Amino acid sequence: MNYIVSFCLLCVMSACSPDNGNTGARPPGDGGETPDPTPTEKVLKDAAFPVGAAIEPRYLDNEAYVNLLKREMNSISPENAMKMDAISRGRKQYDFSGADKIVDFALDNDMRVHGHALLWYYITPQWIKDFQGDKDDWIEIMEEYITDVVTHFKGKVTSWDVVNEAVDDDGNIRSNDIWYQNIGEEYIALAFEAAHKADPDAILFYNDYGMVWSKTRRDKICEMVVNLKKEGVPVHGIGLQMHINTDTPKENMTTSLAAAAACGVYVHVSELDVATNPSNSPTATYTRERAEKQKASYKAMFEAFGTIAQDKRYGITFWGVADNHSWLSLRPDWPLPFDRNLKKKEAYYGITETFGE
Ligand code: XIL
């Protein structure tokens, strides 16, 4: 009896009962007599482009996590440790401890570090919210922060998300961004220039969400990046966050990646996760069906990324490693390629299946 037939029988017998809890485990075999459904010796970093994960400093205290990262990833992004609220304690006061821990680990293990993110409207330290000054003063504190942080990591951090989420869903520059409110749209160009001046070798990204589902967002982001480049502003890449779900059509993935590549810059899938509970049901459980749909989505994403020109592929970064640490795990969901026990899920095999021989 081959695996598929035996699994279907199991499935009927058990009515495909879901795993208990947020385990994200692969479905059971039939007692070890049948082969692995998708045997592979490959690891994620065998892809034809860098593959990374967003991590927190505390993960590095866990040996199993560390071993997984070394085995599977060749790029690292700090999930939160390089955000302004993590680093900035006041004007010219910095706490780099968490970020340094991640950077040292990555460099010790020959991994690329992608810095995330110098400016993000959503996370603003209180001292900046309280800051009083005219436009020039605001430019000064912004440039000072960027200069100090990029200089601290110069030669260690390969690339930066310089500006994160500056565009709103109507295709305008986000008006609830404190830098926009105090400096105007010019803050974007000035931020890239400051980062470039501090580390001329760093690859600089504009990062945003929703290019996968909104043409308005795609067009605006591309127009902005192309215009910045025309003005000589050092912007080298577009990061597509890619927080998708199992209902996201593959066509949207290919279209958005092609659109970003057509802007003439590197393309980074910078925050990939695939939610398996798109309707956000509070009673959802991790079923065989969710696992298979998620596998198809991850596979589609890696295939779609492979369709853009090789010299534009900056890489794919997962937004986390294991389901239980995902930023989406406040609701029932299982968005990542590893389960809470760091076991490979079906999604993992969907990815490695795309690597060819
Ligand atoms: C999220 C982190 O994953 C959470 O831990 C944190 O509480 C909020 O930020 N877009 C981004 C990321 O650019 O920085 C966000 O990360 C997810 C959405």
Side-chain angles (χ1 to χ4, degrees), residues 84 94 118-119 141-152 162-163 187 190-196 198:
M84 200 181 257
Y94 304 105
L118 292 167
L119 299 184
I141 59 163
M142 184 189 78
E143 291 181 338
E144 181 180 276
Y145 175 78
I146 292 175
T147 303
D148 288 352
V149 174
V150 174
T151 301
H152 178 84
V162 177
V163 177
Y187 89 90
L190 291 171
F192 277 93
E193 275 157 4
H196 182 66

Side-chain angles (χ1 to χ4, degrees), residues 78 80-84 86-87 99 103 113-117 145 153 157 160:
N80 290 299
M82 280 187 189
K83 289 175 183 164
M84 200 181 257
I87 286 181
V103 170
V113 184
H114 175 72
H116 173 85
Y145 175 78
F153 293 109
V157 167
W160 284 99

Side-chain angles (χ1 to χ4, degrees), residues 1-182:
M1 195 185 301
N2 70 26
Y3 174 78
I4 296 180
V5 174
S6 62
F7 177 77
C8 286
L9 271 179
L10 269 179
C11 197
V12 171
M13 280 154 56
S14 67
C16 271
S17 62
D19 297 325
N20 284 333
N22 191 3
T23 62
R26 296 175 58 205
D30 65 355
E33 290 151 28
T34 50
D36 188 302
T38 42
T40 176
E41 298 298 318
K42 298 196 174 86
V43 292
L44 298 178
K45 67 181 177 187
D46 288 334
F49 42 81
V51 173
I55 66 166
E56 298 284 16
R58 67 177 188 279
Y59 295 3
L60 301 174
D61 302 330
N62 178 325
E63 201 186 332
Y65 244 107
V66 165
N67 290 338
L68 183 150
L69 294 170
K70 288 188 199 169
R71 189 185 74 222
E72 303 284 348
M73 310 294 171
N74 49 20
S75 183
I76 291 290
S77 300
E79 182 170 347
N80 290 299
M82 280 187 189
K83 289 175 183 164
M84 200 181 257
D85 64 332
I87 286 181
S88 178
R89 293 281 171 269
R91 186 160 185 182
K92 294 293 268 180
Q93 291 166 30
Y94 304 105
D95 177 359
F96 291 115
S97 54
D100 280 343
K101 186 171 170 181
I102 289 177
V103 170
D104 291 347
F105 163 78
L107 297 185
D108 285 349
N109 292 287
D110 296 326
M111 297 172 183
R112 175 177 84 179
V113 184
H114 175 72
H116 173 85
L118 292 167
L119 299 184
W120 184 26
Y121 81 98
Y122 192 74
I123 297 238
T124 310
Q126 193 58 42
W127 76 267
I128 289 178
K129 288 186 187 152
D130 295 341
F131 185 74
Q132 301 286 326
D134 62 16
K135 180 175 166 177
D136 285 345
D137 298 325
W138 277 88
I139 292 175
E140 191 178 320
I141 59 163
M142 184 189 78
E143 291 181 338
E144 181 180 276
Y145 175 78
I146 292 175
T147 303
D148 288 352
V149 174
V150 174
T151 301
H152 178 84
F153 293 109
K154 186 172 179 333
K156 296 180 173 181
V157 167
T158 303
S159 49
W160 284 99
D161 290 333
V162 177
V163 177
N164 191 31
E165 300 186 355
V167 171
D168 71 18
D169 291 351
D170 298 324
N172 300 314
I173 299 299
R174 182 180 290 286
S175 59
N176 59 341
D177 185 312
I178 202 162
W179 304 107
Y180 175 74
Q181 289 165 350
N182 289 286

Side-chain angles (χ1 to χ4, degrees), residues 81-356:
M82 280 187 189
K83 289 175 183 164
M84 200 181 257
D85 64 332
I87 286 181
S88 178
R89 293 281 171 269
R91 186 160 185 182
K92 294 293 268 180
Q93 291 166 30
Y94 304 105
D95 177 359
F96 291 115
S97 54
D100 280 343
K101 186 171 170 181
I102 289 177
V103 170
D104 291 347
F105 163 78
L107 297 185
D108 285 349
N109 292 287
D110 296 326
M111 297 172 183
R112 175 177 84 179
V113 184
H114 175 72
H116 173 85
L118 292 167
L119 299 184
W120 184 26
Y121 81 98
Y122 192 74
I123 297 238
T124 310
Q126 193 58 42
W127 76 267
I128 289 178
K129 288 186 187 152
D130 295 341
F131 185 74
Q132 301 286 326
D134 62 16
K135 180 175 166 177
D136 285 345
D137 298 325
W138 277 88
I139 292 175
E140 191 178 320
I141 59 163
M142 184 189 78
E143 291 181 338
E144 181 180 276
Y145 175 78
I146 292 175
T147 303
D148 288 352
V149 174
V150 174
T151 301
H152 178 84
F153 293 109
K154 186 172 179 333
K156 296 180 173 181
V157 167
T158 303
S159 49
W160 284 99
D161 290 333
V162 177
V163 177
N164 191 31
E165 300 186 355
V167 171
D168 71 18
D169 291 351
D170 298 324
N172 300 314
I173 299 299
R174 182 180 290 286
S175 59
N176 59 341
D177 185 312
I178 202 162
W179 304 107
Y180 175 74
Q181 289 165 350
N182 289 286
I183 300 173
E185 187 167 342
E186 198 190 340
Y187 89 90
I188 297 173
L190 291 171
F192 277 93
E193 275 157 4
H196 182 66
K197 201 166 161 209
D199 183 357
D201 294 329
I203 301 171
L204 305 181
F205 282 82
Y206 175 75
N207 194 57
D208 215 328
Y209 68 88
M211 288 183 79
V212 70
W213 46 260
S214 163
K215 182 167 167 14
T216 305
R217 299 187 58 77
R218 281 200 283 282
D219 290 350
K220 173 64 187 182
I221 289 165
C222 186
E223 178 196 299
M224 185 178 81
V225 166
V226 168
N227 285 341
L228 286 168
K229 273 164 57 89
K230 266 192 210 141
E231 290 159 17
V233 176
V235 46
H236 312 118
I238 295 179
L240 294 88
Q241 293 184 6
M242 226 38 113
H243 297 295
I244 57 173
N245 65 57
T246 47
D247 290 339
T248 305
K250 183 174 183 183
E251 195 194 337
N252 290 37
M253 304 177 198
T254 20
T255 304
S256 56
L257 292 167
C263 313
V265 291
Y266 285 121
V267 178
H268 185 199
V269 171
S270 56
E271 304 182 16
L272 177 61
D273 45 29
V274 180
T276 58
N277 178 16
S279 63
N280 208 2
S281 157
T283 55
T285 52
Y286 190 64
T287 57
R288 173 77 193 175
E289 191 193 349
R290 287 189 210 278
E292 287 296 343
K293 284 178 83 174
Q294 187 183 47
K295 175 182 180 178
S297 297
Y298 270 109
K299 185 172 184 172
M301 176 56 67
F302 272 69
E303 284 171 351
F305 196 73
T307 64
I308 60 174
Q310 184 121 30
D311 64 353
K312 297 277 184 323
R313 294 181 211 158
Y314 196 68
I316 294 187
T317 298
F318 304 102
W319 205 240
V321 176
D323 284 336
N324 56 317
H325 286 164
S326 163
W327 71 309
L328 301 176
S329 64
L330 290 178
R331 65 187 190 205
D333 215 318
W334 301 265
L336 291 164
F338 297 90
D339 73 12
R340 64 183 306 133
N341 299 313
L342 300 181
K343 290 238 166 53
K344 299 168 186 175
K345 293 166 56 188
E346 286 300 307
Y348 178 99
Y349 295 99
I351 294 167
T352 52
E353 275 172 18
T354 66
F355 294 172

